Amino acid sequence: MRSQSARHFRLALEPGFSLFDALVQPLAKVGVHSASMTILGGYFERLHYCVAPPDPSRQAVIAYADPIGAGRAYMIFGNATLGKNLQKLPLVHCHAAIRTESGEIKGGHILTETCVVGSNPIPVLVTSLDGFELRQAFDPETNISLLQPHGHAND
């Protein structure tokens, strides 16, 4: 799907907020409920992530591993997508590369609700998806729920 128009924002993630709230709340205030985002890097007071190797049971393409606590960490670069979950509430799906406090470089699926922005705002570039919305839906090919484009934003 494509949109006839999009809005572009530069957002500063507020210190002390979860990554989820720091993205969702200001975007909701300007009417953005589906978006593509680039996190340009910054410090997190607390960061959790997981990896998604192939599902050993072969029932699905992947199976998320248990959460990994990175503690205080620096997000080198991240990409996030805003849409709606199965209950039509905001959902943020994020992948990023991080540097842990011990200097290790790691990466994976970021658990946005448990990650807390550090003491300085973190810059994010946002492109709204105004012509349609992203909704979590079951995907029979992968056998998991994925964010998928759906109709028009007002449907």
Side-chain angles (χ1 to χ4, degrees):
M1 296 188 116
R2 67 179 185 88
S3 179
Q4 294 294 328
S5 65
R7 294 173 285 162
H8 300 282
F9 302 91
R10 185 176 177 97
L11 180 65
L13 302 180
E14 291 297 320
F17 282 82
S18 71
L19 176 56
F20 180 87
D21 288 337
L23 290 168
V24 171
Q25 290 177 5
L27 291 174
K29 287 179 183 176
V30 294
V32 174
H33 304 286
S34 292
S36 174
M37 299 168 280
T38 300
I39 303 167
L40 299 176
Y43 287 97
F44 283 80
E45 189 61 34
R46 182 175 67 237
L47 192 138
H48 295 93
Y49 70 100
C50 65
V51 294
D55 181 5
S57 73
R58 297 185 174 206
Q59 304 240 337
V61 172
I62 56 105
Y64 286 109
D66 290 337
I68 301 165
R72 296 180 72 191
Y74 184 84
M75 184 178 288
I76 299 165
F77 182 85
N79 285 307
T81 306
L82 171 64
K84 294 182 179 175
N85 68 15
L86 295 171
Q87 292 75 40
K88 297 190 179 174
L89 297 172
L91 179 146
V92 176
H93 187 91
C94 180
H95 291 178
I98 64 167
R99 184 181 69 232
T100 66
E101 204 165 21
S102 66
E104 294 177 281
I105 304 299
K106 302 287 183 177
H109 174 77
I110 305 300
L111 305 176
T112 62
E113 285 144 345
T114 63
C115 297
V116 177
V117 177
S119 59
N120 295 310
I122 298 173
V124 178
L125 301 177
V126 179
T127 300
S128 66
L129 304 173
D130 294 335
F132 59 92
E133 67 181 15
L134 297 174
R135 292 185 192 168
Q136 186 180 30
F138 179 75
D139 175 57
E141 183 178 352
T142 60
N143 210 27
I144 60 174
S145 292
L146 303 172
L147 278 173
Q148 300 176 26
H150 183 81
H152 295 285
N154 296 326
D155 285 351

